[in-house]
Amino acid sequence: LVVRCKPFGKLLKSAHMIEREFEVMRALRGSAVPVPEMYYLCEDPEEIGTPYYVMEFIEGKAYLDPSLPDLSADHRKLLYDNMNHGLAKLHSIKPKSIGLDDFGKSGNYFARQLSIWGRQYELSRTEDIFEVDALYDWLSSNLPEDHSSDNLVHGDWRIDNLLFKVEKPILNAVLDWEISTIGDGRADLANQLMQWAMPVGMEGRGLEGINRKEFGIPEDLEYIEKYTRRTGLSNLPDLRFPLAFCFFRMSAILQGVKKRALDGNASNPEMAIKVGKMIPEYSRRALMHLGL
């Protein structure tokens, strides 16, 4: 078994929503998206000091570095294809068909998300960062029309939130659903591309400068085309705004991590401060992506 709980101490109102994780993974059990079986949710913080849930332990291999340095090119190719296929399967599930029709609010997905993460950023702000403020201003002024809000959105779809079978590169479990909701699936696709645009290493966890062809890793366009075919879309999705938004959201997430470290409430204070230094870099990359 695995016990997953909220961090101890004071948290932002909508942070670390393990209750959402429990609900969505329980609903997805038996679907085309592999998840652990969920056994017990305790929302009472008095029982062990913080809310928690108990789930099935899944055997699997976790990868933190998307360049997968210890694997062969053929192995990487298969793993990335499975990751792409898994995302397409997720976005092919209608939330209503698994009892999640009321899992998210109605209305423009990106407008709602920008409001949430803008508020989270302000509540955890420790200093003024020009790049973050400039990016937020652009996003606020360029919100797209409501494109599609009927996908089940994971919210943080990337390689380090997935487990693969030990003996072969097949997706075995999708984890970390705490910011999942119903919304625009482009956000999940853009989130992967956002990560890959960052520097190689444990702070950026990106693919910048990697010879992807040599490594057996698809270029962004190839990955998008595969996703488009698998989801039955007639055109390639427009990812300009979604990608910029994902960069901002990561800046906001890291700002929250940094604030918890400064408040003495981080599980790994040293790492929290280290990744906190990447806050302006994520927003700077978004501004470059937008040509600003």
Side-chain angles (χ1 to χ4, degrees):
L1 300 176
V2 173
V3 175
R4 179 159 161 84
C5 61
K6 291 191 180 187
F8 292 86
K10 185 177 180 181
L11 302 173
L12 296 178
K13 183 179 178 181
S14 57
H16 302 284
M17 297 295 289
I18 64 165
E19 301 88 349
R20 295 188 71 78
E21 285 196 328
F22 185 89
E23 182 180 358
V24 71
M25 285 196 280
R26 182 174 59 180
L28 282 167
R29 185 67 177 174
S31 74
V33 177
V35 292
E37 186 168 350
M38 311 306 289
Y39 295 120
Y40 176 68
L41 170 66
C42 175
E43 299 181 77
D44 180 4
E46 299 301 318
E47 187 168 311
I48 66 168
T50 187
Y52 71 94
Y53 64 74
V54 181
M55 66 178 175
E56 175 189 14
F57 176 83
I58 299 288
E59 289 284 351
K61 181 72 175 176
Y63 299 97
L64 300 182
D65 185 345
S67 69
L68 305 171
D70 299 326
L71 302 183
S72 67
D74 287 342
H75 200 115
R76 293 188 195 103
K77 184 176 181 179
L78 288 171
L79 190 146
Y80 268 81
D81 190 60
N82 262 270
M83 188 159 52
N84 182 285
H85 203 185
L87 185 58
K89 286 179 180 178
L90 172 62
H91 292 162
S92 297
I93 294 175
K94 294 301 180 185
K96 189 174 183 178
S97 70
I98 56 172
L100 291 178
D101 44 313
D102 60 350
F103 190 61
K105 295 180 180 179
S106 59
N108 188 305
Y109 169 80
F110 284 112
R112 287 186 285 116
Q113 288 291 303
L114 185 61
S115 174
I116 291 169
W117 290 103
R119 185 168 62 250
Q120 294 287 82
Y121 180 77
E122 287 299 326
L123 289 172
S124 58
R125 182 191 285 265
T126 55
E127 59 192 298
D128 292 334
I129 303 176
F130 168 79
E131 293 88 347
V132 182
D133 291 338
L135 176 56
Y136 179 78
D137 289 344
W138 185 91
L139 291 168
S140 299
S141 301
N142 292 273
L143 280 166
E145 294 182 4
D146 198 12
H147 175 77
S148 173
S149 296
D150 61 353
N151 290 131
L152 182 56
V153 178
H154 179 273
D156 197 14
W157 185 276
R158 26 181 224 174
I159 197 168
D160 43 313
N161 286 329
L162 308 174
L163 282 180
F164 295 85
K165 290 184 180 294
V166 175
E167 67 279 5
K168 48 189 174 181
I170 294 177
L171 188 60
N172 207 28
V174 181
L175 306 173
D176 205 349
W177 294 83
E178 62 187 88
I179 58 175
S180 58
T181 187
I182 295 176
D184 192 325
R186 291 180 299 171
D188 281 339
L189 185 59
N191 197 67
Q192 284 207 294
L193 272 56
M194 177 272 296
Q195 181 189 23
W196 299 343
M198 297 301 292
V200 174
M202 287 310 297
E203 283 79 34
R205 294 187 183 180
L207 295 173
E208 186 179 50
I210 292 287
N211 184 329
R212 294 202 203 176
K213 185 175 182 180
E214 182 180 305
F215 269 60
I217 296 174
E219 297 289 345
D220 287 0
L221 181 57
E222 180 186 352
Y223 196 84
I224 295 168
E225 287 174 340
K226 279 188 175 183
Y227 169 86
T228 300
R229 289 195 301 271
R230 283 170 167 161
T231 52
L233 295 174
S234 55
N235 297 301
L236 296 181
D238 180 359
L239 297 177
R240 188 167 191 259
F241 185 96
L243 187 53
F245 165 75
C246 287
F247 275 112
F248 173 76
R249 181 173 60 189
M250 184 55 71
S251 289
I253 289 172
L254 294 182
Q255 182 63 54
V257 172
K258 179 180 179 180
K259 181 68 162 57
R260 289 201 305 275
L262 294 175
D263 290 345
N265 192 29
S267 58
N268 187 337
E270 184 179 343
M271 178 57 71
I273 294 298
K274 184 180 292 186
V275 298
K277 294 178 180 178
M278 296 290 291
I279 295 168
E281 183 62 17
Y282 276 95
S283 288
R284 188 182 73 82
R285 299 269 173 155
L287 294 173
M288 290 173 56
H289 157 69
L290 295 169
L292 302 176

PDB file of all heavy atoms in Angstrom, residues 80-96:
ATOM      1  N   TYR A  80       8.352   7.129 -25.327  1.00  0.00           N
ATOM      2  CA  TYR A  80       7.694   8.379 -25.707  1.00  0.00           C
ATOM      3  C   TYR A  80       6.406   8.115 -26.476  1.00  0.00           C
ATOM      4  O   TYR A  80       5.428   8.854 -26.327  1.00  0.00           O
ATOM      5  CB  TYR A  80       8.649   9.260 -26.516  1.00  0.00           C
ATOM      6  CG  TYR A  80       9.428  10.227 -25.652  1.00  0.00           C
ATOM      7  CD1 TYR A  80      10.565   9.809 -24.962  1.00  0.00           C
ATOM      8  CD2 TYR A  80       9.013  11.543 -25.504  1.00  0.00           C
ATOM      9  CE1 TYR A  80      11.271  10.675 -24.148  1.00  0.00           C
ATOM     10  CE2 TYR A  80       9.717  12.430 -24.699  1.00  0.00           C
ATOM     11  CZ  TYR A  80      10.840  11.992 -24.014  1.00  0.00           C
ATOM     12  OH  TYR A  80      11.527  12.861 -23.202  1.00  0.00           O
ATOM     13  N   ASP A  81       6.394   7.064 -27.272  1.00  0.00           N
ATOM     14  CA  ASP A  81       5.181   6.733 -28.008  1.00  0.00           C
ATOM     15  C   ASP A  81       4.086   6.288 -27.049  1.00  0.00           C
ATOM     16  O   ASP A  81       2.912   6.647 -27.223  1.00  0.00           O
ATOM     17  CB  ASP A  81       5.471   5.629 -29.027  1.00  0.00           C
ATOM     18  CG  ASP A  81       4.315   5.407 -29.991  1.00  0.00           C
ATOM     19  OD1 ASP A  81       3.956   6.357 -30.712  1.00  0.00           O
ATOM     20  OD2 ASP A  81       3.760   4.302 -30.008  1.00  0.00           O
ATOM     21  N   ASN A  82       4.450   5.531 -26.016  1.00  0.00           N
ATOM     22  CA  ASN A  82       3.478   5.111 -25.011  1.00  0.00           C
ATOM     23  C   ASN A  82       2.954   6.296 -24.215  1.00  0.00           C
ATOM     24  O   ASN A  82       1.776   6.340 -23.858  1.00  0.00           O
ATOM     25  CB  ASN A  82       4.119   4.097 -24.058  1.00  0.00           C
ATOM     26  CG  ASN A  82       3.784   2.663 -24.423  1.00  0.00           C
ATOM     27  OD1 ASN A  82       2.789   2.127 -23.944  1.00  0.00           O
ATOM     28  ND2 ASN A  82       4.595   2.056 -25.270  1.00  0.00           N
ATOM     29  N   MET A  83       3.824   7.249 -23.949  1.00  0.00           N
ATOM     30  CA  MET A  83       3.416   8.448 -23.229  1.00  0.00           C
ATOM     31  C   MET A  83       2.405   9.252 -24.050  1.00  0.00           C
ATOM     32  O   MET A  83       1.403   9.750 -23.536  1.00  0.00           O
ATOM     33  CB  MET A  83       4.660   9.297 -22.916  1.00  0.00           C
ATOM     34  CG  MET A  83       4.422  10.470 -22.009  1.00  0.00           C
ATOM     35  SD  MET A  83       5.958  11.038 -21.214  1.00  0.00           S
ATOM     36  CE  MET A  83       7.061  11.243 -22.612  1.00  0.00           C
ATOM     37  N   ASN A  84       2.672   9.360 -25.352  1.00  0.00           N
ATOM     38  CA  ASN A  84       1.782  10.060 -26.269  1.00  0.00           C
ATOM     39  C   ASN A  84       0.437   9.345 -26.357  1.00  0.00           C
ATOM     40  O   ASN A  84      -0.633   9.981 -26.299  1.00  0.00           O
ATOM     41  CB  ASN A  84       2.441  10.141 -27.642  1.00  0.00           C
ATOM     42  CG  ASN A  84       1.625  10.895 -28.669  1.00  0.00           C
ATOM     43  OD1 ASN A  84       0.637  10.385 -29.175  1.00  0.00           O
ATOM     44  ND2 ASN A  84       2.039  12.106 -28.993  1.00  0.00           N
ATOM     45  N   HIS A  85       0.490   8.033 -26.490  1.00  0.00           N
ATOM     46  CA  HIS A  85      -0.732   7.233 -26.602  1.00  0.00           C
ATOM     47  C   HIS A  85      -1.559   7.339 -25.326  1.00  0.00           C
ATOM     48  O   HIS A  85      -2.793   7.408 -25.362  1.00  0.00           O
ATOM     49  CB  HIS A  85      -0.371   5.777 -26.892  1.00  0.00           C
ATOM     50  CG  HIS A  85      -1.471   5.014 -27.547  1.00  0.00           C
ATOM     51  ND1 HIS A  85      -1.397   3.662 -27.802  1.00  0.00           N
ATOM     52  CD2 HIS A  85      -2.689   5.399 -27.987  1.00  0.00           C
ATOM     53  CE1 HIS A  85      -2.508   3.255 -28.383  1.00  0.00           C
ATOM     54  NE2 HIS A  85      -3.316   4.287 -28.500  1.00  0.00           N
ATOM     55  N   GLY A  86      -0.875   7.358 -24.167  1.00  0.00           N
ATOM     56  CA  GLY A  86      -1.573   7.475 -22.896  1.00  0.00           C
ATOM     57  C   GLY A  86      -2.329   8.793 -22.775  1.00  0.00           C
ATOM     58  O   GLY A  86      -3.462   8.833 -22.281  1.00  0.00           O
ATOM     59  N   LEU A  87      -1.708   9.881 -23.244  1.00  0.00           N
ATOM     60  CA  LEU A  87      -2.364  11.183 -23.188  1.00  0.00           C
ATOM     61  C   LEU A  87      -3.575  11.220 -24.119  1.00  0.00           C
ATOM     62  O   LEU A  87      -4.637  11.751 -23.757  1.00  0.00           O
ATOM     63  CB  LEU A  87      -1.381  12.288 -23.573  1.00  0.00           C
ATOM     64  CG  LEU A  87      -1.898  13.725 -23.456  1.00  0.00           C
ATOM     65  CD1 LEU A  87      -2.354  14.028 -22.036  1.00  0.00           C
ATOM     66  CD2 LEU A  87      -0.840  14.717 -23.901  1.00  0.00           C
ATOM     67  N   ALA A  88      -3.431  10.637 -25.301  1.00  0.00           N
ATOM     68  CA  ALA A  88      -4.550  10.580 -26.239  1.00  0.00           C
ATOM     69  C   ALA A  88      -5.705   9.766 -25.655  1.00  0.00           C
ATOM     70  O   ALA A  88      -6.880  10.131 -25.809  1.00  0.00           O
ATOM     71  CB  ALA A  88      -4.091   9.982 -27.568  1.00  0.00           C
ATOM     72  N   LYS A  89      -5.385   8.668 -24.978  1.00  0.00           N
ATOM     73  CA  LYS A  89      -6.428   7.853 -24.348  1.00  0.00           C
ATOM     74  C   LYS A  89      -7.157   8.653 -23.272  1.00  0.00           C
ATOM     75  O   LYS A  89      -8.389   8.584 -23.157  1.00  0.00           O
ATOM     76  CB  LYS A  89      -5.813   6.592 -23.725  1.00  0.00           C
ATOM     77  CG  LYS A  89      -5.396   5.535 -24.727  1.00  0.00           C
ATOM     78  CD  LYS A  89      -4.769   4.344 -24.005  1.00  0.00           C
ATOM     79  CE  LYS A  89      -4.338   3.254 -24.979  1.00  0.00           C
ATOM     80  NZ  LYS A  89      -3.684   2.123 -24.268  1.00  0.00           N
ATOM     81  N   LEU A  90      -6.398   9.404 -22.474  1.00  0.00           N
ATOM     82  CA  LEU A  90      -7.009  10.216 -21.425  1.00  0.00           C
ATOM     83  C   LEU A  90      -8.012  11.205 -22.016  1.00  0.00           C
ATOM     84  O   LEU A  90      -9.132  11.336 -21.531  1.00  0.00           O
ATOM     85  CB  LEU A  90      -5.931  10.966 -20.639  1.00  0.00           C
ATOM     86  CG  LEU A  90      -6.436  12.006 -19.639  1.00  0.00           C
ATOM     87  CD1 LEU A  90      -7.288  11.347 -18.555  1.00  0.00           C
ATOM     88  CD2 LEU A  90      -5.264  12.772 -19.016  1.00  0.00           C
ATOM     89  N   HIS A  91      -7.597  11.891 -23.075  1.00  0.00           N
ATOM     90  CA  HIS A  91      -8.449  12.920 -23.654  1.00  0.00           C
ATOM     91  C   HIS A  91      -9.575  12.353 -24.515  1.00  0.00           C
ATOM     92  O   HIS A  91     -10.427  13.107 -24.990  1.00  0.00           O
ATOM     93  CB  HIS A  91      -7.596  13.901 -24.456  1.00  0.00           C
ATOM     94  CG  HIS A  91      -6.685  14.716 -23.600  1.00  0.00           C
ATOM     95  ND1 HIS A  91      -5.590  15.397 -24.086  1.00  0.00           N
ATOM     96  CD2 HIS A  91      -6.695  14.948 -22.254  1.00  0.00           C
ATOM     97  CE1 HIS A  91      -4.966  16.006 -23.092  1.00  0.00           C
ATOM     98  NE2 HIS A  91      -5.626  15.750 -21.976  1.00  0.00           N
ATOM     99  N   SER A  92      -9.564  11.043 -24.714  1.00  0.00           N
ATOM    100  CA  SER A  92     -10.657  10.401 -25.441  1.00  0.00           C
ATOM    101  C   SER A  92     -11.771   9.942 -24.502  1.00  0.00           C
ATOM    102  O   SER A  92     -12.833   9.514 -24.954  1.00  0.00           O
ATOM    103  CB  SER A  92     -10.126   9.197 -26.240  1.00  0.00           C
ATOM    104  OG  SER A  92      -9.188   9.616 -27.212  1.00  0.00           O
ATOM    105  N   ILE A  93     -11.514  10.020 -23.194  1.00  0.00           N
ATOM    106  CA  ILE A  93     -12.521   9.614 -22.205  1.00  0.00           C
ATOM    107  C   ILE A  93     -13.442  10.797 -21.910  1.00  0.00           C
ATOM    108  O   ILE A  93     -12.981  11.894 -21.592  1.00  0.00           O
ATOM    109  CB  ILE A  93     -11.846   9.151 -20.892  1.00  0.00           C
ATOM    110  CG1 ILE A  93     -11.040   7.869 -21.129  1.00  0.00           C
ATOM    111  CG2 ILE A  93     -12.885   8.931 -19.800  1.00  0.00           C
ATOM    112  CD1 ILE A  93     -10.248   7.419 -19.920  1.00  0.00           C
ATOM    113  N   LYS A  94     -14.723  10.581 -22.047  1.00  0.00           N
ATOM    114  CA  LYS A  94     -15.695  11.608 -21.690  1.00  0.00           C
ATOM    115  C   LYS A  94     -15.926  11.556 -20.179  1.00  0.00           C
ATOM    116  O   LYS A  94     -16.313  10.501 -19.644  1.00  0.00           O
ATOM    117  CB  LYS A  94     -17.014  11.402 -22.431  1.00  0.00           C
ATOM    118  CG  LYS A  94     -16.904  11.584 -23.944  1.00  0.00           C
ATOM    119  CD  LYS A  94     -16.410  12.987 -24.288  1.00  0.00           C
ATOM    120  CE  LYS A  94     -16.290  13.195 -25.787  1.00  0.00           C
ATOM    121  NZ  LYS A  94     -15.704  14.528 -26.106  1.00  0.00           N
ATOM    122  N   PRO A  95     -15.673  12.646 -19.478  1.00  0.00           N
ATOM    123  CA  PRO A  95     -15.826  12.631 -18.017  1.00  0.00           C
ATOM    124  C   PRO A  95     -17.169  12.091 -17.534  1.00  0.00           C
ATOM    125  O   PRO A  95     -17.238  11.376 -16.529  1.00  0.00           O
ATOM    126  CB  PRO A  95     -15.656  14.108 -17.642  1.00  0.00           C
ATOM    127  CG  PRO A  95     -14.756  14.656 -18.714  1.00  0.00           C
ATOM    128  CD  PRO A  95     -15.183  13.942 -19.968  1.00  0.00           C
ATOM    129  N   LYS A  96     -18.230  12.396 -18.281  1.00  0.00           N
ATOM    130  CA  LYS A  96     -19.562  11.941 -17.873  1.00  0.00           C
ATOM    131  C   LYS A  96     -19.649  10.418 -17.871  1.00  0.00           C
ATOM    132  O   LYS A  96     -20.373   9.834 -17.052  1.00  0.00           O
ATOM    133  CB  LYS A  96     -20.615  12.533 -18.801  1.00  0.00           C
ATOM    134  CG  LYS A  96     -22.044  12.297 -18.346  1.00  0.00           C
ATOM    135  CD  LYS A  96     -23.040  13.023 -19.232  1.00  0.00           C
ATOM    136  CE  LYS A  96     -24.469  12.836 -18.728  1.00  0.00           C
ATOM    137  NZ  LYS A  96     -25.445  13.573 -19.558  1.00  0.00           N
TER     138      LYS A  96
END
